Amino acid sequence: MKKISILGSTGSIGTQTLDVVREHGDMQVVALSCGRNLSLIEKQAREFKPQFVSVSDENDAKKLRTSLADTDIEVGYGMDGLIRCATIEHCDIVVTAIVGMLGIRPTIAAIKAKKTIALANKETLVTAGHIIIPLAKEYGVSILPVDSEHSAIFQSLQGNSMNQIKKILLTASGGPFRGRKLSELEGIRVEDALKHPNWSMGQKITIDSSTMVNKGLEVIEAKWLFDVDLSQIQVVVHPQSVIHSAVEYADGAVIAQLGTPDMRIPIQYALYYPSRPALSGDRLDLFKLKDLTFEAPDLDTFKGLALAMKAARAGGNIPTAFNAANERAVALFLNKKIKYLEIIDIIEACMENASFIENPSVDEILDTEQCAYDYISKRW
Ligand code: NAD
Ligand code: MG
């Protein structure tokens, strides 16, 4: 029986991972972790009976230990808890479904413990891809994408030769504000930005999709996962989100993966790769699809995508400055402390303010993150 551990089990990806596990009943959950959703993690722990659960806060861990006192489940907290979750003995596959750069250390620890990684936490690859990818090679560990576009690319690569890839066509829905001009984004409220047209996801990634920062992060994620040059990645706005991404080969053939917007499909593909067990859910009905349309991204309006490309070209710790600034700016926007377009101002300012480090260590990545946070708290 395959054994799995989930970092971020109470979130959008985490709960859908457990839906897949529940549907098949042939995997054992050995560890779960979350931030502060104590009631849900307790429920999950009672249902899936892991050996270990972890939460972010020490006091919450005490409370959870009391409420799980009738079980033999161990409870941990903080970064140590996440690392224990990522490295726990007997576990085969670690699902990284936490948000942000918090995922860097646990992912590195999981690789060193030779766990297969089902990677949803794109921020880790964006900021530390130059460390994570070589480390996974060194330890002979597979990193299987959970992000729907990257799963689509991965599926489109099966049976083909990587060195015959001409380009990757990374699709984007364009988010709720597609078609608007910059001036029309002035007064966007949190509620407006949280309305994604096709996918239901966690709050941070939903805001990132509205600014197209998410697509920028995904370009960098794809560069690391598939070892291609940035010039080989083309973002294609495809509002219907039916084609989840595609690969064009040297002979002109384009191979794509299509489906309903159901994250359980890429999650299951990563968990069961290369098998495709039956999964419940709606099926794509080609006769019901009226139009499949495609357009180039508007980089003047969605500057977040343009800035991500700039960060990707600069390399080093600049993607970290980009990502850290975005993480903090999105949190400020969600707390109604800044205006929508200030997210982009903050990212741009932090990228300019960062001192370049070509090949940053984990500590230097985390220092760059802290510098961005300090800079933001001084100016905003
Ligand atoms: P989410 O906000 O729904 O869930 C985040 C999870 O992390 C929760 O379980 C939360 O409790 C946990 N968490 C928060 N702070 C923590 C802390 N300090 N310590 C431990 N755990 C903590 O997020 P999500 O939408 O599921 O996204 C997770 C990751 O997957 C992100 O990197 C996102 O970009 C990526 N992703 C998500 C989707 C999607 O459909 N939701 C699709 C593609 C990629
Ligand atoms: Mg995606």
Side-chain angles (χ1 to χ4, degrees), residues 8 10-13 34-35 97 99 102 120-123 147 201-202 263:
T10 59
S12 163
I13 295 291
C34 77
V99 186
L102 186 66
N121 175 226
K122 63 190 84 181
E123 295 91 345
D147 210 345
M201 308 179 285
M263 281 309 294

Side-chain angles (χ1 to χ4, degrees), residues 122 147-149 214-215 218:
K122 63 190 84 181
D147 210 345
S148 59
E149 296 78 0
N214 181 53
K215 209 47 56 180
E218 291 186 354

Side-chain angles (χ1 to χ4, degrees), residues 225-238:
L225 279 173
F226 306 114
D227 191 24
V228 290
D229 195 75
L230 281 173
S231 62
Q232 289 174 283
I233 305 173
Q234 186 176 329
V235 173
V236 179
V237 176
H238 165 47

Side-chain angles (χ1 to χ4, degrees), residues 230 306 308-316 319:
L230 281 173
M309 303 300 289
K310 190 174 168 191
R313 281 191 296 271

